[in-house]
């Protein structure tokens, strides 16, 4: 069946032709930090069937957004990765994330480690971190991430954890609950281990404020 398109000259409409299908953007999101195996994406997106994932990857590949390659030995496995143009969509995800974070109808739900990292890049408040030098390690399952904060900037990506000021280790959604839900660390102590200076820790958790919620005009008056 031929895919439906908007047939509209607006570039925003064409963007929806390219990535507007269900699951397309979450699939792209999972490759924002580097190449991923098919099984990695299935694990990160548990609501997505193997069939639909295959379809989305094929469509994104046809549209020059994704490419596949085989890793050299000893890995020798096929991976999918965003093309340089595909990687530019991170800005799109950030803008959408900031906008949707204001939704009065947003419901809490699980996040993948990659989506957490991208959300940190998105919600980071440079003004509150002007004089801060901080290295933070995130150890979620088998994946490790390193966040470096320097003079109002943040760099957070996959990386080796060494010589960090703060280390979070354990359930990544418990980390989200503390970072955005303001859940006290003591409440998730059985799911998330934290080491580091307490004052630095509190300062770090304050650097990712969510924008104010938009008015809910659908509520009965």
């Amino acid at each position: 069946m031929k895919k439906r398109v908007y047939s509209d000259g607006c570039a925003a409409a064409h963007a929806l032709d390219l990535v507007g299908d269900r699951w397309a953007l979450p699939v792209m999101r999972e490759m924002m930090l580097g190449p991923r195996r098919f099984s990695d994406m299935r694990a990160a997106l548990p609501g997505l069937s193997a069939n639909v994932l295959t379809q989305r990857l094929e469509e994104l590949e046809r549209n020059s957004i994704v490419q596949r390659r085989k890793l050299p030995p000893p890995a020798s496995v096929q991976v999918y990765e965003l093309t340089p143009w595909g990687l530019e969509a991170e800005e799109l995800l950030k803008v959408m994330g900031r906008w949707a974070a204001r939704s009065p109808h947003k419901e809490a739900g699980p996040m993948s480690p990659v989506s957490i990292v991208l959300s940190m890049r998105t919600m980071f408040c440079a003004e509150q971190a002007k004089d801060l030098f901080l290295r933070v390690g995130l150890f979620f399952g088998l994946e490790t991430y390193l966040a470096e904060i320097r003079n109002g900037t943040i760099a957070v990506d996959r990386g080796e954890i060494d010589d960090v000021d703060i280390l979070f280790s354990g359930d990544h959604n418990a980390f989200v609950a503390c970072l955005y839900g303001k859940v006290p660390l003591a409440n998730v102590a059985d799911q998330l281990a934290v080491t580091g200076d307490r004052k630095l820790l509190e300062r770090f958790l304050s650097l990712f404020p969510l924008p104010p919620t938009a008015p809910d005009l659908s509520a009965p008056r």
Side-chain angles (χ1 to χ4, degrees):
M1 185 179 295
K2 188 175 180 181
K3 178 181 174 181
R4 293 183 179 179
V5 296
Y6 287 101
S7 299
D8 189 305
C10 171
H14 181 54
L16 292 173
D17 289 339
L18 296 171
V19 299
D21 284 334
R22 184 169 171 79
W23 290 107
L25 282 173
V27 168
M28 289 173 63
R29 180 196 71 204
E30 289 305 312
M31 291 178 276
M32 280 292 164
L33 303 185
R36 299 289 268 172
R37 295 175 301 176
F38 188 93
S39 58
D40 294 331
M41 288 184 276
R42 283 280 287 119
L45 301 165
L48 175 60
S49 70
N51 247 358
V52 174
L53 176 56
T54 298
Q55 291 170 15
R56 292 296 89 85
L57 288 170
E58 288 175 348
E59 290 164 3
L60 292 168
E61 195 171 2
R62 280 197 301 271
N63 287 326
S64 302
I65 296 169
V66 165
Q67 59 191 1
R68 62 178 122 175
R69 64 184 171 91
K70 193 171 185 178
L71 294 180
S76 297
V77 295
Q78 179 175 275
V79 293
Y80 296 86
E81 62 187 352
L82 293 170
T83 62
W85 178 50
L87 284 167
E88 291 176 22
E90 180 175 347
E91 293 307 310
L92 173 63
L93 290 172
K94 285 181 176 179
V95 170
M96 290 180 68
R98 278 190 291 265
W99 178 73
R102 299 194 62 220
S103 169
H105 306 294
K106 185 177 184 295
E107 296 181 5
M111 295 174 68
S112 73
V114 172
S115 65
I116 294 169
V117 168
L118 293 179
S119 78
M120 291 170 66
R121 292 180 182 179
T122 301
M123 299 301 174
F124 177 71
C125 181
E127 186 66 27
Q128 294 184 27
K130 277 184 177 178
D131 59 342
L132 190 59
F133 292 82
L134 188 62
R135 285 168 58 87
V136 180
L138 307 172
F139 189 11
F140 299 144
L142 299 177
E143 298 189 335
T144 57
Y145 303 87
L146 179 65
E148 293 187 291
I149 296 167
R150 295 177 180 274
N151 286 334
T153 65
I154 187 170
V156 52
D157 212 329
R158 287 194 183 94
E160 297 295 324
I161 296 175
D162 61 343
D163 192 27
V164 294
D165 302 292
I166 301 169
L167 176 63
F168 294 89
S169 178
D171 183 81
H172 55 278
N173 281 300
F175 173 74
V176 170
C178 299
L179 192 68
Y180 296 124
K182 305 308 176 189
V183 172
L185 287 166
N187 290 19
V188 294
D190 58 334
Q191 303 169 63
L192 186 70
V194 187
T195 58
D197 180 271
R198 182 58 53 173
K199 286 186 178 178
L200 280 178
L201 177 57
E202 291 175 359
R203 179 112 185 252
F204 171 75
L205 292 174
S206 73
L207 297 178
F208 307 91
L210 293 175
T213 302
D216 184 0
L217 301 182
S218 68
R221 297 183 181 182

